[in-house]
Amino acid sequence: MQFKTNIKCDACVAKVTPYLDKAPGKDAWKVDTTNPDKILTVNDDKGLSAADVIKQVEAAGYKASEI
């Protein structure tokens, strides 16, 4: 799954890390902060929905929309 986010920098990634590490799991996601759309890619093997991922990103104080 891929999402457009407002996760802009390494500090932002660090803030969202605890939320995403418990949802899709550690090493199951990454944010491309060099992409203008700040793309979050999630490799899910836990059966998460896009809504679950968006909920975790929003809980960390950021926005995400599925692309």
Side-chain angles (χ1 to χ4, degrees), residues 3 19-20 23 49-62 64:
F3 304 85
Y19 296 90
L20 292 176
S49 70
D52 293 329
V53 175
I54 291 169
K55 183 177 175 182
Q56 291 302 318
V57 172
E58 289 177 347
Y62 296 92

Side-chain angles (χ1 to χ4, degrees), residues 1-3 19-30 40-54 56 66:
M1 295 182 278
Q2 290 193 316
F3 304 85
Y19 296 90
L20 292 176
D21 278 356
K22 74 178 181 182
K26 188 170 174 64
D27 299 323
W29 61 274
K30 67 178 180 175
L40 165 64
T41 302
V42 176
N43 299 316
D44 172 44
D45 61 357
K46 293 185 176 182
L48 289 174
S49 70
D52 293 329
V53 175
I54 291 169
Q56 291 302 318
E66 190 174 17

Side-chain angles (χ1 to χ4, degrees), residues 1-10 12-13 16 20 28-43 53-54 57 62-67:
M1 295 182 278
Q2 290 193 316
F3 304 85
K4 180 178 177 180
T5 73
N6 64 342
I7 300 170
K8 299 176 188 147
C9 63
D10 289 341
C12 299
V13 172
V16 78
L20 292 176
W29 61 274
K30 67 178 180 175
V31 179
D32 182 357
T33 56
T34 62
N35 184 303
D37 289 332
K38 312 301 182 200
I39 302 298
L40 165 64
T41 302
V42 176
N43 299 316
V53 175
I54 291 169
V57 172
Y62 296 92
K63 295 182 181 179
S65 56
E66 190 174 17
I67 54 174

